[in-house]
């Protein structure tokens, strides 16, 4: 045990860490991941455009083997943020 940390404080810290881990695990289990081809179809762009967005950091992705998976929510957020409204004159 570290100096200055009582058993109670260390226990509370451990419980918080476990709760955070469980919450993150629950979010990941509910997340839906899309392949690059699926993202390209949703966005109506080429797969190369999706790869460019991933490599530029504009679209978050995880690597599974040699391929990428993109969280579906991230695609929707990217499209929402990129939307350009047309203002009438």
């Amino acid at each position: 045990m570290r100096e200055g940390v009582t058993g109670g404080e260390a226990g509370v810290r451990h419980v918080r860490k476990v709760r955070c881990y469980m919450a993150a695990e629950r979010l990941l289990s509910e997340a839906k991941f899309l392949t690059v081809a699926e993202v390209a179809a949703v966005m109506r762009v080429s797969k190369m455009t999706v790869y460019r967005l991933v490599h530029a950091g504009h679209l978050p992705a995880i690597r599974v083997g040699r391929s990428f998976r993109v969280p579906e929510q991230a695609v929707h957020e990217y499209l929402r943020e990129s939307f350009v409204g047309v203002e009438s004159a």
Side-chain angles (χ1 to χ4, degrees), residues 7-64:
E9 291 174 5
V12 169
R13 210 172 297 146
H14 175 72
V15 169
R16 283 188 198 140
K17 188 181 283 188
V18 169
R19 284 184 186 154
C20 289
Y21 176 77
M22 289 171 59
E25 192 174 275
R26 188 172 42 244
L27 289 174
L28 281 177
S29 68
E30 295 172 3
K32 181 177 178 189
F33 291 91
L34 303 174
T35 65
V36 169
E38 291 170 331
V39 173
V42 168
M43 295 177 71
R44 298 186 66 133
V45 297
S46 70
K47 291 192 296 186
M48 184 54 66
T49 299
V50 177
Y51 283 117
R52 286 186 190 119
L53 290 170
V54 168
H55 288 295
H58 298 295
L59 201 56
I62 60 169
R63 194 161 191 134
V64 179

